[in-house]
Amino acid sequence: MIIILIWVEMINNNNNNNNNNNKACTTTLTKIEPIYINIKIKQIKFKHKHNIPLDFPLDITITEYIQNLKHDSLLSAHTQTNDTFKKFFPSIPIPKFINPDFYTTQFYTGHGHFQKYLHRIQRSNTDTCTCTNNTPQDSIHLIIQCPHYTNIRHELQLHNIISPNQFVQNKQTYTKFKLLCKHIYTHLHTLSF
Ligand SMILES: [Zn+2]
């Protein structure tokens, strides 16, 4: 019971932009419905199985009702998530091949080892990228524009991409995108030591 309460808190707390919240939100949007919806669905199935009256419109089936619940909860989570995530995924559903990992989650959310984020949480004196004095270093700049990563983008044949959404259009491009995220993260992490 304690674990369930922690998860609900993480998903509901919209103003808390910590990394755990990002991971919970990203996972919710890509893989599962929030725990509180999962519990509600289990309750509905239990009542249905035991012929206990259900409180939902009579003109739809129980399967449709559950599908609507899942869709509405994902729509709500998507509306509440941050703007960087929406640049990758402007709408739901999220493709099934999307499987967030340690690296990609940071790029989807913009909350990672990026100067713009570090500056915001007062871990850096500047928000600008090392490639120029005028460009904020956020995840979108790094994967699309930053000249530090021109070579790796060419190697991975991702150099023609101009919008974050294009990285997640198909499985083949997405696989290369994961490599790009890992490469950039590793490089930035090395620079910081
Ligand atoms: Zn740069």
Side-chain angles (χ1 to χ4, degrees):
M1 180 55 84
I2 291 169
I3 293 169
I4 289 169
L5 288 172
I6 290 169
W7 268 81
V8 171
E9 172 67 18
M10 283 164 67
I11 292 162
N12 279 341
N13 192 347
N14 305 327
N15 296 322
N16 182 359
N17 285 325
N18 65 35
N19 232 14
N20 285 337
N21 195 35
N22 290 334
K23 283 174 190 164
C25 210
T26 308
T27 306
T28 300
L29 283 160
T30 52
K31 286 292 161 198
I32 57 167
E33 64 274 5
I35 291 293
Y36 59 91
I37 293 295
N38 187 279
I39 293 168
K40 192 170 178 180
I41 289 168
K42 281 191 167 61
Q43 286 174 336
I44 290 167
K45 286 180 177 173
F46 177 84
K47 285 183 179 178
H48 183 67
K49 188 178 173 185
H50 294 88
N51 291 321
I52 300 168
L54 287 159
D55 181 23
F56 71 88
L58 294 172
D59 58 342
I60 59 172
T61 65
I62 186 169
T63 306
E64 288 169 338
Y65 182 66
I66 288 171
Q67 281 173 348
N68 289 347
L69 268 182
K70 288 182 178 180
H71 179 267
D72 289 349
S73 70
L74 284 176
L75 194 60
S76 172
H78 185 263
T79 303
Q80 293 164 12
T81 195
N82 75 34
D83 290 339
T84 305
F85 188 92
K86 287 179 195 165
K87 286 177 184 167
F88 284 94
F89 306 104
S91 60
I92 58 167
I94 309 290
K96 289 204 185 311
F97 58 80
I98 301 295
N99 188 14
D101 63 19
F102 173 76
Y103 305 103
T104 53
T105 297
Q106 295 179 53
F107 285 81
Y108 293 149
T109 59
H111 297 184
H113 208 284
F114 317 128
Q115 289 300 331
K116 187 173 177 180
Y117 180 65
L118 295 175
H119 183 62
R120 201 178 102 201
I121 61 171
Q122 300 178 335
R123 299 279 177 88
S124 173
N125 294 327
T126 176
D127 71 347
T128 55
C129 188
T130 51
C131 67
T132 165
N133 289 329
N134 300 317
T135 306
Q137 187 193 69
D138 57 22
S139 61
I140 309 290
H141 165 74
L142 290 164
I143 56 174
I144 294 179
Q145 297 155 344
C146 186
H148 286 325
Y149 306 109
T150 302
N151 287 347
I152 184 73
R153 278 195 293 270
H154 271 84
E155 276 176 38
L156 295 170
Q157 296 177 311
L158 297 173
H159 52 286
N160 289 325
I161 287 185
I162 56 171
S163 152
N165 183 240
Q166 291 175 271
F167 287 111
V168 295
Q169 290 292 310
N170 60 66
K171 197 171 181 178
Q172 191 186 12
T173 308
Y174 177 65
T175 302
K176 293 175 182 177
F177 170 67
K178 288 199 285 188
L179 294 173
L180 178 65
C181 290
K182 188 174 180 179
H183 176 92
I184 295 174
Y185 170 86
T186 306
H187 181 244
L188 292 173
H189 204 63
T190 306
L191 289 179
S192 68
F193 288 103

